[in-house]
Amino acid sequence: MNRLLHRILPALLVYGLLMLGTMLALAPLLWMLAASLMPPGEATGYPPRFWPSTVTFEHYAALFTRLDLGRYLLNSTLLAGAVTAISLFVNSMAGYAFAKFRFRYRDRLFRILLAAMVIPAQVAMLPLFLLLKQFSLINTYWGVIIPGMANIFGIFLIRQYLLAIPDSLLDAARMDGAGEFRIYWALVLPLCRPILVTLAIFTFMGAWNDFMWPLIVLTDSSMYTLPVALANLLGEHVQDTELMMAGSVLTVLPVLLLFVALQKYYIAGIMLGGMKG
Amino acid sequence: MTGQERHAARSAKVFLAPALLLIAVFFFLPVLAALLLSFTDFDIYALGDLDRLRFVGLRNYLDLLQSPLFWTALGNTFYFVVVGGPLSVTVSLGAALLVNAPLTRFPGFFRAALFLPVVTTLVAVAVVWRYLYHPHYGLLNYGLGLLGIDPIDWLGNPVWAMPAIILMAVWKNFGFNMIIFIAGLQNIPPQLYEAARIDGANGWRQFRHITLPLLGPTFLFVALMTMIGYFQVFAEPYVMTQGGPTNRTLSVVLLMYEEGFRWWNMGYASAAAFVLFVLILAGTALQLRLQRREPP
């Protein structure tokens, strides 16, 4: 009896809750996948089905042939890829400067940047739109990329990582007569590899999942990213449940696979950001 | 300054220049411009011809304060922050405690499974949840029906629409804070629990007197970040309800988007954005003060 109370009951409770939580977390995603493979009309039957009676890929085919989803997939990949590559370069240089150089106002400047993280991005959006309009960048890829090219959180993450690396390594390279850019490129960047991978995943996912800014900047439907295209598709095809689910799967799947493949780096990054923040 | 220090300062400037220039031009400058814009009557006519722009002082702010729609949006946003924020943090902490419990095997599996909603695209899962919430064939009402509960028109009913959006947001977000809580829990030295067990403290008292106090800084960070994020709610109502029914899910950012980018009342929309910013600042200050006064 005592053993039951102290060992088995808590275990039942913990596992019961964990199973329930896992089920609730995954159920919407599993239903999305199942419904995307159902014949038209089956996802809106009653009682609801959890499994397709026959598996069909016709909705995926329709997305790529009739609804031009390949184009949006390309837009999303291109934009998220460009933002990631450029911001990684820009942020790592700045993070390196804050971590490894002494200069006037360094700490004050860094504190100002950190404090600015509480300013919601939406405050800047209206003037940013007008600014980009002046340069005819509305409805262009650059209009989406430019605001993401430098990122305070990215600079912060790189700086924190580099603080832990001893200066002696860099000094030795300087003694050997290596130029500053060469030191950054050939020594600092390889040292930062783990945090760069982490930051790359964060940035890519953030850019891929971003909705509000692409919605504002991209006015022509051929320029849409997947989330914008999906929200737009909902307007015309709200009745086509299975088709909408296939579109959702295609939007979610690339980032989900990226996470599953690089989970370790992603979770380490949250912990680093969370602990030191 | 020695030659070497001067050299270092010069290199630092070169490395910093791209990032600082970009942040200055595409973030700080627009934020300042938004403040100026909020004191003008910038509208669709000014968009075509800047000569039509006039300085109107505080009129946009006064108009906002007299607009019932703005107060509705403000009330809805507070509802989302005040109910959704604490709910999300509580669920995150609960999940972290379960995953981190000593008797849980395969914590890596549970952690990843519970985290999965975080990495999904908000717009896509908002679309999915729209169907889950469907009054006739949605899974949620089917499940409730099995428990003998009558169907609810989740997104169409003014009372239930906001709770439905909160539930979806918590499902989407709780995993992120769960990871931060797990990191915080793992930083607590296990000897403390051992000592407490020897002293005869039960599970609840260990949680109350060891876990919670030592989790304090993590808690503050999580609560702040969640609050700031929840104040900016936009895509959930945009996709799931368009702010309806009868504006019961219209958020401040959604209002700002509609006013600014649909009707081009950019002066008015900037004022709304600044009110939101001030609220976020006030909320941050309040939380910092509360947590400093009484350690949890």
Side-chain angles (χ1 to χ4, degrees), chain B residues 42-117:
Chain B
F42 199 110
D43 56 13
I44 191 156
Y45 302 108
L47 196 62
D49 175 11
L50 270 180
D51 287 341
R52 308 196 59 143
L53 189 66
R54 277 174 314 161
F55 180 76
V56 295
L58 290 173
R59 206 186 72 199
N60 288 324
Y61 290 94
L62 294 175
D63 284 352
L64 275 177
L65 295 181
Q66 282 165 12
S67 151
L69 196 62
F70 179 68
W71 284 103
T72 304
L74 211 56
N76 293 336
T77 306
F78 268 108
Y79 186 171
F80 188 77
V81 171
V82 170
V83 176
L87 185 66
S88 167
V89 172
T90 311
V91 173
S92 303
L93 181 59
L97 287 169
L98 285 171
V99 170
N100 201 53
L103 53 81
T104 301
R105 292 218 205 148
F106 315 114
F109 164 77
F110 287 114
R111 192 181 63 178
L114 293 170
F115 188 75
L116 226 47

Side-chain angles (χ1 to χ4, degrees), chain A residues 1-268:
Chain A
M1 188 62 205
N2 222 337
R3 191 170 163 268
L4 179 79
L5 228 115
H6 282 106
R7 301 283 303 257
I8 299 175
L9 226 56
L12 271 181
L13 192 69
V14 166
Y15 278 106
L17 285 172
L18 273 174
M19 294 292 192
L20 184 73
T22 305
M23 218 179 68
L24 290 177
L26 298 184
L29 300 175
L30 293 175
W31 184 78
M32 163 181 79
L33 185 64
S36 77
L37 301 170
M38 290 177 187
E42 199 167 276
T44 49
Y46 193 90
R49 292 190 64 96
F50 301 94
W51 206 249
S53 57
T54 47
V55 170
T56 168
F57 290 96
E58 63 180 283
H59 310 297
Y60 290 95
L63 284 174
F64 280 102
T65 51
R66 269 197 299 127
L67 297 165
D68 220 8
L69 216 80
R71 168 90 208 188
Y72 309 130
L73 197 64
L74 187 73
N75 287 344
S76 271
T77 312
L78 225 101
L79 285 172
V83 167
T84 307
I86 298 173
S87 77
L88 229 51
F89 183 57
V90 171
N91 292 338
S92 64
M93 284 202 294
Y96 171 47
F98 275 120
K100 292 297 172 197
F101 288 94
R102 264 171 231 274
F103 51 91
R104 274 222 292 185
Y105 306 123
R106 180 184 69 176
D107 297 334
R108 186 178 296 178
L109 197 61
F110 190 67
R111 270 201 300 276
I112 292 174
L113 286 183
L114 281 192
M117 285 211 280
V118 292
I119 306 176
Q122 291 91 344
V123 174
M125 281 181 184
L126 295 150
L128 195 57
F129 178 87
L130 297 173
L131 182 70
L132 294 183
K133 191 168 167 288
Q134 283 301 308
F135 295 106
S136 307
L137 289 170
I138 296 304
N139 198 31
T140 65
Y141 288 143
W142 281 110
V144 180
I145 295 170
I146 283 175
M149 289 201 302
N151 175 286
I152 299 175
F153 178 71
I155 297 173
F156 168 77
L157 215 56
I158 301 265
R159 172 186 176 267
Q160 295 307 95
Y161 189 84
L162 276 174
L163 282 180
I165 282 171
D167 292 346
S168 53
L169 269 173
L170 307 176
D171 289 338
R174 271 187 201 111
M175 292 291 192
D176 292 345
E180 286 298 337
F181 190 79
R182 208 186 135 64
I183 292 176
Y184 157 77
W185 190 258
L187 191 65
V188 173
L189 280 189
L191 279 172
C192 288
R193 220 186 78 100
I195 198 71
L196 287 176
V197 176
T198 301
L199 194 56
I201 311 168
F202 274 147
T203 313
F204 189 89
M205 284 187 181
W208 184 277
N209 292 339
D210 194 16
F211 178 59
M212 192 170 174
W213 185 244
L215 177 73
I216 289 166
V217 173
L218 303 173
T219 47
D220 191 70
S221 72
S222 70
M223 302 292 290
Y224 283 175
T225 59
L226 275 173
V228 179
L230 195 67
N232 194 50
L233 203 65
L234 191 65
E236 297 163 46
H237 291 272
V238 71
Q239 300 303 328
D240 306 327
T241 309
E242 298 81 10
L243 181 80
M244 287 309 301
M245 290 306 105
S248 301
V249 170
L250 276 176
T251 307
V252 166
L253 201 63
V255 274
L256 225 51
L257 290 178
L258 192 67
F259 166 71
V260 172
L262 297 169
Q263 212 205 107
K264 192 182 72 180
Y265 291 99
Y266 191 96
I267 293 204

